[in-house]
Amino acid sequence: MDKNNSGAYRLIGMGLVALAIFFLGLFIKSGIDNVAYRDRTVTVRGLSERSVAADYVTWPMTYNVAGDDLLSLYDQITGYNNTIVRFLTSNGISKDEISVNPPDTYNATANQYSSGTFHYKYSLSCTVTVSTSKVSKVRELLARQTDLLKEGVPYSNGYIDYEFRALNAIKPEMIADATKNAREAAVKFATDSDSKVGKIKTASQGQFSIEDSSSSTPFTKNVRVVSTITYYLD
């Protein structure tokens, strides 16, 4: 092989090496830029809230009677229970939505720790509970409950528990709203920082909460969920 050909081959080899180094540098830079790109993220939260009407209610009515004759007290309780059940069933509440609990009996003469100020031998407490999805009907009857006083029933209302049980029906739409709101927040941040919102890196959905809208309107509930999403920034 002559010297001219040898020199040409040497130059070609050096050129190929230089070209390889050039492309290797490009690949390394691209990799570094890609890592740097992947480190550019924004984490935002999206809130979704709804006001809904309670769809289930538990309404306990309690009364107490006292006396010295248990049989007379039993007859009295039976009469009160019949009056309450008749009031409810005649106004749209079905019997399978009503439960009458056995009475709790207090025997003053058998209580060794009694102070002696109790004027009767026995005190009986009884509770009639309505459990129903007829929330509007219960609210109507609460306004008319004084009719029981007119019939001599010395009732008192326990804690009336209003519930919202149809959460699964609104979950998908609320999650979609929360995700949409989160993306809007991310877009606002990206615009302010001269970036663009990329793909989702991570996402987590918070717990749904159901609370009374206010203490005076427990039959209206506030449903709330927060989604936390991390986006890549381009």
Side-chain angles (χ1 to χ4, degrees), residues 12-29:
I12 292 172
M14 292 174 62
L16 290 174
V17 171
L19 192 61
I21 293 173
F22 172 75
F23 281 110
L24 179 61
L26 286 180
F27 292 146
I28 293 174
K29 181 179 183 302

Side-chain angles (χ1 to χ4, degrees), residues 40-175:
R40 297 181 63 219
T41 61
V42 59
T43 299
V44 290
R45 291 184 176 181
L47 169 66
S48 180
E49 287 185 297
R50 287 197 179 186
S51 180
V52 298
D55 55 15
Y56 198 84
V57 59
T58 302
W59 171 29
M61 286 175 282
T62 301
Y63 61 87
N64 295 278
V65 294
D68 295 324
D69 183 8
L70 271 178
L71 292 179
S72 296
L73 293 178
Y74 174 80
D75 291 340
Q76 192 174 0
I77 281 180
T78 301
Y80 286 160
N81 286 344
N82 289 339
T83 300
I84 293 174
V85 171
R86 184 171 62 251
F87 167 75
L88 294 171
T89 55
S90 64
N91 287 287
I93 303 298
S94 60
K95 285 189 176 181
D96 61 358
E97 296 171 320
I98 304 169
S99 61
V100 180
N101 295 338
D104 290 328
T105 305
Y106 173 74
N107 185 348
T109 59
N111 186 356
Q112 59 179 319
Y113 302 106
S114 174
S115 63
T117 59
F118 194 71
H119 299 295
Y120 299 100
K121 289 182 179 180
Y122 306 105
S123 173
L124 277 66
S125 174
C126 194
T127 301
V128 178
T129 304
V130 175
S131 301
T132 180
S133 59
K134 301 170 185 174
V135 177
S136 296
K137 175 59 65 176
V138 166
R139 291 185 59 199
E140 174 192 330
L141 293 181
L142 283 168
R144 297 175 48 197
Q145 200 176 9
T146 52
D147 290 349
L148 290 174
L149 292 179
K150 295 176 183 178
E151 297 194 51
V153 181
Y155 71 88
S156 64
N157 289 321
Y159 174 71
I160 303 174
D161 183 29
Y162 292 94
E163 302 176 54
F164 177 68
R165 295 187 171 185
L167 179 60
N168 287 338
I170 64 173
K171 266 186 177 182
E173 191 170 345
M174 288 192 66
I175 292 172

